[in-house]
Structure formats: C-alpha cells, structure tokens
Amino acid sequence: MQSHSPPSLAIVSPCLDEENLIKVNTRKLIELLEKLSKKQLIDLSKSSIYIVDDGSKDGSWNELKKMNSTYPQVKCIKLSRNFGHQNALLAGIISSSEEIVVSVDFDLQDDLEAIEKMIVKYNTGFEIVYGVKANRSVDGFLKQIFARFFYALL
C-alpha cells in the first residue's frame, strides 16, 4: 500500500525477435512512465522497465543495449535461450525491486492506459489489481476458448 510518496513501478516485458520494435516500443513505455510521474502516480526516479530477451535470434539484444545506454530506466535481461514467455516474465519479476509490478507483452497490444487505472486502484488500497481483456475479436478461435475457460475457473 502507498505511503506518502508515490510508489515505484516496474514494467516487465518479455520479448522475442522484436529487433524492429525495440526502439519505438521502449520509447512508448518511457513516455508512459513520464506521464504517470507527471500525474504523481509513480516515482519516476525509482521506476524501471525490465525488458527480457527470451533467446532472440535477431539483433534484439544489441537494440536493447542501446536503449539501456540511452534511458537509465531500461533494465535488460538476456536469457541464454528461449525459455518461453512465462519464464521470461518470471525472470523480469524476480529481478525487480519496485513496489508495483505490471507485465505487458512487448508488442504493446495491451491497453497501456489500463496501467494508470491499475495504479489508481493500488493507491486506494488494493494490493493485487489485474486486467481482463474485454475484446478478444483479434484472438484466434482456440485462444478465445481457452480464455473463456480460464476466466470461468478464476
């Protein structure tokens, strides 16, 4: 729960062969941190973006190193091979020390505006806040079925 100062935020984002998106999407995440900081929802000086390279075969790692040298908030983790999305996500979460941890897929198809709403909920006393994708029209048939099953169980 929040004390008197804004909490720190870790955005954890696994990536695999995203060389062409690294620069653009990292900048979008930086802009999000800056926006949240201007609204005094987070402490920018203590917040980070953890991008986990899950064994990319392209030039993703070189691009990530450039982002790390340009933006001090960007922390890069390179896995020795592809361990899968969930394990890459776990590596980022374990590496973080911020008060709030939010995960997003590196393609940024998730609604980044939802992060602000989640932080507001956190700041009002919720310890766990999660989002549910409202529109799955772009998901394949099987993914839609599994998502319905998962949320029915939840």
Side-chain angles (χ1 to χ4, degrees):
M1 189 163 179
Q2 180 188 342
S3 59
H4 295 294
S5 61
S8 56
L9 171 65
I11 297 176
V12 177
S13 188
C15 76
L16 176 65
D17 296 328
E18 302 281 4
E19 177 181 8
N20 296 329
L21 293 176
I22 299 285
K23 188 174 184 179
V24 171
N25 287 0
T26 300
R27 185 66 203 141
K28 287 179 183 177
L29 293 173
I30 292 290
E31 289 169 358
L32 175 63
L33 288 182
E34 291 169 346
K35 174 185 168 188
L36 295 171
S37 176
K38 284 179 185 170
K39 292 184 174 188
Q40 299 183 336
L41 292 172
I42 64 163
D43 183 340
L44 183 61
S45 69
K46 296 178 182 176
S47 297
S48 301
I49 299 166
Y50 294 83
I51 304 174
V52 183
D53 183 340
D54 189 19
S56 294
K57 302 280 189 215
D58 64 0
S60 291
W61 182 245
N62 288 330
E63 290 299 313
L64 286 171
K65 289 191 297 187
K66 289 177 192 174
M67 294 297 98
N68 172 258
S69 65
T70 304
Y71 303 106
Q73 301 95 338
V74 176
K75 314 294 184 204
C76 304
I77 301 166
K78 181 170 179 56
L79 302 184
S80 61
R81 63 175 177 82
N82 180 268
F83 285 91
H85 183 83
Q86 296 303 320
N87 287 318
L89 184 60
L90 182 60
I93 292 170
I94 289 171
S95 298
S96 69
S97 60
E98 290 76 8
E99 295 167 77
I100 300 172
V101 179
V102 174
S103 68
V104 297
D105 290 344
F106 196 76
D107 61 12
L108 301 185
Q109 291 184 10
D110 297 312
D111 180 12
L112 294 182
E113 297 301 317
I115 294 173
E116 181 177 335
K117 295 173 187 172
M118 291 174 168
I119 293 170
V120 168
K121 289 287 188 186
Y122 172 84
N123 287 338
T124 61
F126 290 88
E127 291 185 26
I128 298 173
V129 180
Y130 68 94
V132 177
K133 198 176 208 179
N135 183 348
R136 295 199 163 271
S137 61
V138 295
D139 291 347
F141 176 73
L142 282 177
K143 190 171 182 181
Q144 288 180 29
I145 296 286
F146 286 123
R148 284 187 196 136
F149 179 71
F150 172 79
Y151 288 113
L153 284 175
L154 190 64

